[in-house]
């Protein structure tokens, strides 16, 4: 608080102004505290908090001292300046931590240290020396540590202590000793070194009681005073249940002992070592030679127990046969089994119930029976014939369509072996669902006899074509088919059914993902546009039989057709280039205007799509030969052709169960693939095609995989009769036959069966290449790959050439096929192995390549897991 001190004259003036009289000094009370005087001169008036204005050391600004005075005038005395002191009752200089006092100075009997562990004992304080006095002298929490001795109780007073009763002490406790070797501290008769006496005590503490001082007694369990010599007890006196005699032979039976009488009981009663000898109660036993429990009365002997081969009954009528005796059951066996004097009576247990077999089918009817041991004429043991008047009706018979229950299952004509398979026609379009069948003698309601429907919920599919009964105005139904296969394809969304006959037209799938099926098979269903083969004077007259070139990766399925009469889809271009001939008319001129025609795919042309072909025969499609001819002054026409049977560009395709035969092109008489295309070929033949290079197959930057196939009798003018590859791509042949393919014989690098170009990967596995030629059968002009477990045999030249050679598991032997000839008929050869072929079980032994029968893979088209086709 800030105080304003005004002059006295001003105060008086103010008082007068207020009308209040100013008293004189004599009128002021003696205790008037309004006087502004600091009596002790410490700078504080009582009104300013000085609690003792007579002591200059006491004021609100003073420091509190430990002096019993409120030095700082906060109404507390000696706060925060006192110390803690601990009672030192035993005067050892260490105080009791549980007896404290707070003061300015140590009270009498107190110290500043509070670490004493026992303030009643001046011999106990931290740092003191531990002595054996049962006190924790050094205050470490342990008493007499390291200064005591171990003493052992000596309860029996024999001066030997019990090791199991130790104690720690500074001095010897009463009844204790330092020795711990007493074995029994309950008796003074047992201690080490004492003499052993017969008192059932281990007197000498050696672990054995009464050794050398006992008598042997024998157990007498049956109480007959004769003991068991094998059960003894050493004792000082006869134990209860024992005897001094050891001659009992059965101590479990009181009646058995050396004084007993022998009886017939299977026991040595008198302990003489013989059982039942001389017993008077022996029985008469009869020989039972056949061991049927009945004896022969003529052969007997006396014995206490039944002798081996003897019984007590003497009524057997034939002791040489175990199944004949009075207790036996009579059976049909030409014996009097039950000894009743009659053989095989009708009551025999196994007498058969026979059933009349009126129709002679070995199954009888249950109505007429006869019970005998032997089969009566015209009767059989089976009674399950359901119709004994028909020899073709009996259990297990084949059900046939004859209105009889042939197999006796209670149903007539069900699942007949001569029945037909019918297919559900849910949409009533005349075509059945292949996944829903019924085998019956007649067409069931709602079923048809074909399985050609691709969608049994849509009556508009399949679309039907029939070149014989169809018409241009047809609707594509079964009742009104198109006569044009192309019209059916154009109308279809899912599938086309093509009936047999010849379709004289070119087919274009136009990017449709549909199934086109020649339902009656390729041998009677033909696509044949009958096109002319182009020449240099008529280069645009050619065409392809089947075109699949939408470039949309469409994947239609084509099956059940012969595809023939195609001459190639063409493209043309015109350039100026060096003349291709040396005609005199070209003297002085070095270039010609050249129009180039390229023909691709006689039977099938694929570009940018991924079709599937199976059960097709692509044959007799002929493309133009390679030509470079003049068409006027300094004008030339150049003609190239590719893929007589099929030409693939930018495509993926698959062929299965198909023929590619009798086709021609300059490059790839059978199949030509380029531009990164790839295709698979399984279970099929490529045969008797012709070309300049790659008469069977020609790959140009493409890949192919053949499995269980035959490439045979193809004829190349130059290289690669079976297959020809240029750069890049992969050609893989697994279980494939190369047979009789030919190439030019000039030079040695022709590869009559396979010519593999630079950078091509050629894999040959479990396959056979067999031919007679002067050039290498398999030649690599820089190609690589693996050729393992193959049989490559050339009877007139080398097997491998160039960069290719035989790999592991290779053999070389000929005469492998039971049918394999080149006679201008590609359909005659199956390339099955002769029984003497070295290629049998010669393929890769890995289980993955095993034949169908589980044996090691045969090489060739009929080996491996898919070798049956």
């Amino acid at each position: 608080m800030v105080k304003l001190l005004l002059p006295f004259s001003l105060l008086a003036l103010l008082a007068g102004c207020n009308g209040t009289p100013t008293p004189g000094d004599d009128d002021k009370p003696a205790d008037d505290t309004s006087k502004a005087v600091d009596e002790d001169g410490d700078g504080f008036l009582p009104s300013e908090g000085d609690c003792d204005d007579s002591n200059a050391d006491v004021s609100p600004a003073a420091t509190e001292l430990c002096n019993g005075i409120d030095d700082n005038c906060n109404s507390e005395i000696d706060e925060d300046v006192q110390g803690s002191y601990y009672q030192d009752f035993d005067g050892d200089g260490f105080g009791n931590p549980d007896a404290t006092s707070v003061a300015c100075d140590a009270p009498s009997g107190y110290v500043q240290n509070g670490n004493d562990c026992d303030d009643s004992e001046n011999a106990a304080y931290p740092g003191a020396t531990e002595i054996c006095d049962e006190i924790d002298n050094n205050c470490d929490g342990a008493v007499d540590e390291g200064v005591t001795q171990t003493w052992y109780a000596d309860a029996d007073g024999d001066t030997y202590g019990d090791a199991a009763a130790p104690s720690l002490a500074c001095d010897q406790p009463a009844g204790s000793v330092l020795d711990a070797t007493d074995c029994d501290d309950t008796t003074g008769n047992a201690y080490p070194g004492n003499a052993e006496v017969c008192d059932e005590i281990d007197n000498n503490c050696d672990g054995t009681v009464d050794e050398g001082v006992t008598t042997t007694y024998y157990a007498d369990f049956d109480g007959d005073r004769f003991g068991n010599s094998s059960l003894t007890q050493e004792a000082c006196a006869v134990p209860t249940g024992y005897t001094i005699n050891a001659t009992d032979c059965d101590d479990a039976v009181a009646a058995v002992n050396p004084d007993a009488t022998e009886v017939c009981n299977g026991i040595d009663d008198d302990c003489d070592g013989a059982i039942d000898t001389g017993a008077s109660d022996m029985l008469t036993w009869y020989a039972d030679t056949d061991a049927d429990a009945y004896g022969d009365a003529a052969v007997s002997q006396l014995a206490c127990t039944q002798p081996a081969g003897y019984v007590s009954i003497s009524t057997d009528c034939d002791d040489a046969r175990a199944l004949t005796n009075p207790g036996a059951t009579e059976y049909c066996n030409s014996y009097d089994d039950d000894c009743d004097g009659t053989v095989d009576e009708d009551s025999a247990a196994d007498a058969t119930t026979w059933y009349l077999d009126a129709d002679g089918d070995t199954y009888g009817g249950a109505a007429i029976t006869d019970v005998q041991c032997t089969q009566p004429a015209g009767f059989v043991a089976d009674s399950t014939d359901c119709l004994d008047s028909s020899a073709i009706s009996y259990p297990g018979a084949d059900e046939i369509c004859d209105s009889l229950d042939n197999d006796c299952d209670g149903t007539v004509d069900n699942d007949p072996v001569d029945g037909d398979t019918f297919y559900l026609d849910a949409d009533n379009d005349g075509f059945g669902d292949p996944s829903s069948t019924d085998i019956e003698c007649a067409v069931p309601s709602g079923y048809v006899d074909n399985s050609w429907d691709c969608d049994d919920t849509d009556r508009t599919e399949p679309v039907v074509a029939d070149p014989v009964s169809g018409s241009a105005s047809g609707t594509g139904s079964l009742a009104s088919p198109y006569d044009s296969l192309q019209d059916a394809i154009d109308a279809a969304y899912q599938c086309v059914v093509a009936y047999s006959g010849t379709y004289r037209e070119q087919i274009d799938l136009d990017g449709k993902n549909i199934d086109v099926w020649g339902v009656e098979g390729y041998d009677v269903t033909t696509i044949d546009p009958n096109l002319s083969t182009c020449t240099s004077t008529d280069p645009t007259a050619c065409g392809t039989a089947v075109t699949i070139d939408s470039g949309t990766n469409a994947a239609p399925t084509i099956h059940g057709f012969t595809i023939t009469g195609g001459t190639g889809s063409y493209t043309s271009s015109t350039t100026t280039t060096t003349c291709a001939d040396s005609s005199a008319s070209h003297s002085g001129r070095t270039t010609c205007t050249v129009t180039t025609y390229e023909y691709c795919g006689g039977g099938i042309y694929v570009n940018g799509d991924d079709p599937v072909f199976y059960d097709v025969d692509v044959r007799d499609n002929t493309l133009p030969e390679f030509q470079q001819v003049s068409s006027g002054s300094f004008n030339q026409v150049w003609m190239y052709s590719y893929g007589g049977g099929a030409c693939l560009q930018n495509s993926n395709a698959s062929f299965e169960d198909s023929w590619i035969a009798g086709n021609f092109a300059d490059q790839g008489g059978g199949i030509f693939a380029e531009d990164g295309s790839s295709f698979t070929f399984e279970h099929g033949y490529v045969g008797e095609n012709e070309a300049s290079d790659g008469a069977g197959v020609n790959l140009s930057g493409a890949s192919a995989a053949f499995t269980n196939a035959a490439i045979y009798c193809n004829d190349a003018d130059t290289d690669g009769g079976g297959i020809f590859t240029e750069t890049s791509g992969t050609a893989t042949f697994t279980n494939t036959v190369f047979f009789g393919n030919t190439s030019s014989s000039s030079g040695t690098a022709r590869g009559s069966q396979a010519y593999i170009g630079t950078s091509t990967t050629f894999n040959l596995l479990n396959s056979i290449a067999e031919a007679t030629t002067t050039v290498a059968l398999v030649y690599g002009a820089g190609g690589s790959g693996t050729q393992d477990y193959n049989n490559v045999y050339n009877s007139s030249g080398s097997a491998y050439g160039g960069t290719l050679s035989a790999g592991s598991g290779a053999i070389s032997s000929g005469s492998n096929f039971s049918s394999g000839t080149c006679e201008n008929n590609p359909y005659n050869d199956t390339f099955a192995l002769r029984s003497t072929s070295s290629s049998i079980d010669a393929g890769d032994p890995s289980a993955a390549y095993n034949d169908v029968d589980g044996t090691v893979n045969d090489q060739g088209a009929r080996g491996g897991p898919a070798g049956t086709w």
Side-chain angles (χ1 to χ4, degrees), residues 35 56 75 183 194 263 385 440 485 490 682 691 747 817:
K35 181 180 63 173
S75 300
C183 59
N194 191 24
V263 293
D385 202 338
E440 298 292 346
L485 180 58
D490 292 342
E682 183 176 2
F817 306 112

Side-chain angles (χ1 to χ4, degrees), residues 428-733:
N428 197 32
D429 61 359
F431 296 98
D433 180 355
S435 66
S436 183
T437 64
D438 190 7
I439 298 175
E440 298 292 346
C441 296
V443 182
S445 177
Y447 283 73
V448 293
D449 62 357
N450 70 77
S451 60
W452 303 336
D453 207 336
C454 58
D455 185 348
D456 205 30
T457 65
D458 185 350
R459 292 197 64 189
T460 66
E461 297 286 336
V463 178
V464 184
D466 189 334
V468 178
S469 63
S471 68
S473 61
T475 62
S477 67
L478 180 61
S480 178
Y482 292 111
D483 61 358
S484 164
L485 180 58
Q486 185 64 55
D487 287 348
I489 290 171
D490 292 342
Y493 291 98
Q494 297 188 67
C495 59
V496 171
V497 164
Y499 281 97
S500 63
T502 299
Y503 294 90
R504 295 289 186 185
E505 55 186 322
Q506 291 178 263
I507 302 302
D508 189 342
L509 271 294
D510 196 26
K512 288 197 168 186
N513 284 306
I514 62 175
D515 181 88
V516 183
W517 186 3
V519 293
E520 295 175 275
Y522 73 85
D523 52 340
V524 294
T525 311
T526 302
I527 299 172
D528 182 7
N530 195 28
L531 299 169
S532 299
T533 303
C534 294
T535 66
S536 60
T537 60
D538 187 14
T540 64
C542 291
T544 298
V546 176
T547 299
I548 307 173
D549 68 345
S550 72
T552 62
N553 297 112
T557 300
I558 313 296
H559 55 119
F561 293 95
T562 291
I563 301 174
T564 187
T567 55
S569 174
Y570 74 89
T571 59
S572 64
S573 62
T574 301
T575 60
T576 301
T577 186
T578 301
C579 295
D581 61 51
S582 57
S583 171
S585 65
H586 295 162
S587 60
R589 297 289 296 273
T590 59
T591 59
C592 286
T593 298
V594 175
T595 302
T596 300
Y597 291 91
E598 294 186 328
Y599 303 86
C600 192
I604 299 169
Y605 172 62
V606 182
N607 189 345
D609 289 335
D610 305 322
V612 175
F613 300 94
Y614 64 93
D615 191 31
V616 296
D617 182 3
V618 184
R619 65 182 179 188
D620 299 332
N621 296 281
T622 303
L623 272 60
E625 295 186 33
F626 168 71
Q627 298 181 57
Q628 290 180 328
V629 298
S630 297
S631 60
S633 298
F634 303 106
N635 292 316
Q636 292 186 340
V637 173
W638 293 3
M639 303 177 70
Y640 301 89
S641 62
Y642 308 90
C647 180
L648 310 178
Q649 296 176 332
N650 303 302
S651 301
N652 298 313
S654 67
F655 295 86
E656 185 173 355
D657 293 317
S658 297
W659 298 83
I660 310 292
N663 302 286
F664 170 82
D666 180 60
Q667 299 293 312
I671 301 175
F672 179 84
E674 66 175 347
D675 298 334
S677 294
S678 67
F679 69 90
T680 61
F681 196 97
E682 183 176 2
H683 294 163
Y685 302 87
V686 179
E688 301 198 12
N689 301 285
E690 297 181 10
S692 176
D693 293 309
V697 181
N698 188 313
L699 303 180
S700 178
S703 297
F706 282 75
T707 305
N708 296 104
I711 301 175
Y712 61 101
C713 304
N714 298 286
D715 183 17
D717 290 339
T718 52
D719 296 325
I723 181 171
F724 175 88
T725 72
E726 293 189 53
T727 59
S728 72
T730 299
T732 298
F733 297 90

Side-chain angles (χ1 to χ4, degrees), residues 169-530:
C170 295
D171 300 312
Q172 182 175 8
S176 296
V177 294
L178 289 173
D179 184 282
T181 61
D182 203 339
C183 59
D184 186 350
D185 203 36
T186 64
T187 174
N189 293 326
Y191 54 84
N194 191 24
E196 193 72 24
V197 296
C198 202
D199 57 0
E200 299 183 356
I201 296 174
D202 181 10
N203 304 98
N204 56 11
C205 286
D206 65 352
T208 305
V209 176
D210 294 343
E211 68 274 15
V213 295
T214 59
T215 301
T216 300
Y217 297 94
Y218 303 92
D220 180 18
F221 292 123
D222 56 11
D224 60 3
R225 299 177 290 104
F226 293 89
N228 186 342
S229 62
S230 63
L231 297 175
T232 64
Q233 181 174 324
E234 296 294 325
C236 298
V238 180
T240 300
Y242 281 75
T243 180
I244 196 69
N245 184 295
T247 59
D248 203 340
C249 58
D250 187 347
D251 200 36
V253 180
V256 176
N257 58 67
D259 289 345
T261 300
E262 191 75 19
V263 293
C264 259
N265 56 6
I267 298 173
D268 180 12
D269 302 282
D270 55 7
C271 293
D272 65 353
I275 296 174
D276 294 346
T277 301
S280 62
D281 55 350
M282 292 186 292
L283 301 176
T284 301
W285 302 93
Y286 303 92
D288 180 16
T289 305
D290 55 12
D292 61 1
Y294 292 87
D296 183 355
V299 182
S300 65
Q301 65 171 279
L302 292 173
C304 280
T305 58
Q306 182 175 1
Y310 282 75
V311 294
S312 62
I313 300 172
S314 61
T315 57
D316 203 341
C317 61
D318 185 351
D319 200 36
R321 185 173 185 271
L323 298 178
T324 299
N325 58 69
T329 300
E330 189 73 20
Y331 288 97
C332 296
N333 55 11
S334 301
Y335 288 97
D336 179 13
D337 301 285
D338 56 6
C339 292
D340 67 351
T342 304
V343 175
D344 293 350
E345 54 265 34
D346 290 344
S347 61
D350 61 344
T352 302
T353 299
W354 304 95
Y355 302 90
L356 180 65
D357 178 18
D359 56 11
D361 60 5
T362 72
Y363 291 84
I368 302 175
T369 64
D370 189 3
V371 179
Q372 291 189 33
C373 282
T374 58
Q375 182 175 3
F379 284 75
V380 294
D382 187 282
S383 64
T384 58
D385 202 338
C386 59
L387 185 58
D388 201 35
S389 61
S390 172
I392 59 173
S393 293
Y394 53 86
D398 288 335
E399 191 74 21
I400 60 176
C401 293
D402 60 357
S403 299
L404 297 177
D405 181 11
N406 303 100
D407 57 7
C408 290
D409 67 351
T411 305
V412 175
D413 291 349
N414 59 311
D415 297 326
V417 296
D418 61 345
D420 294 316
T421 300
F422 298 97
Y423 304 88
L424 180 66
D425 181 16
D427 57 8
N428 197 32
D429 61 359
F431 296 98
D433 180 355
S435 66
S436 183
T437 64
D438 190 7
I439 298 175
E440 298 292 346
C441 296
V443 182
S445 177
Y447 283 73
V448 293
D449 62 357
N450 70 77
S451 60
W452 303 336
D453 207 336
C454 58
D455 185 348
D456 205 30
T457 65
D458 185 350
R459 292 197 64 189
T460 66
E461 297 286 336
V463 178
V464 184
D466 189 334
V468 178
S469 63
S471 68
S473 61
T475 62
S477 67
L478 180 61
S480 178
Y482 292 111
D483 61 358
S484 164
L485 180 58
Q486 185 64 55
D487 287 348
I489 290 171
D490 292 342
Y493 291 98
Q494 297 188 67
C495 59
V496 171
V497 164
Y499 281 97
S500 63
T502 299
Y503 294 90
R504 295 289 186 185
E505 55 186 322
Q506 291 178 263
I507 302 302
D508 189 342
L509 271 294
D510 196 26
K512 288 197 168 186
N513 284 306
I514 62 175
D515 181 88
V516 183
W517 186 3
V519 293
E520 295 175 275
Y522 73 85
D523 52 340
V524 294
T525 311
T526 302
I527 299 172
D528 182 7
N530 195 28

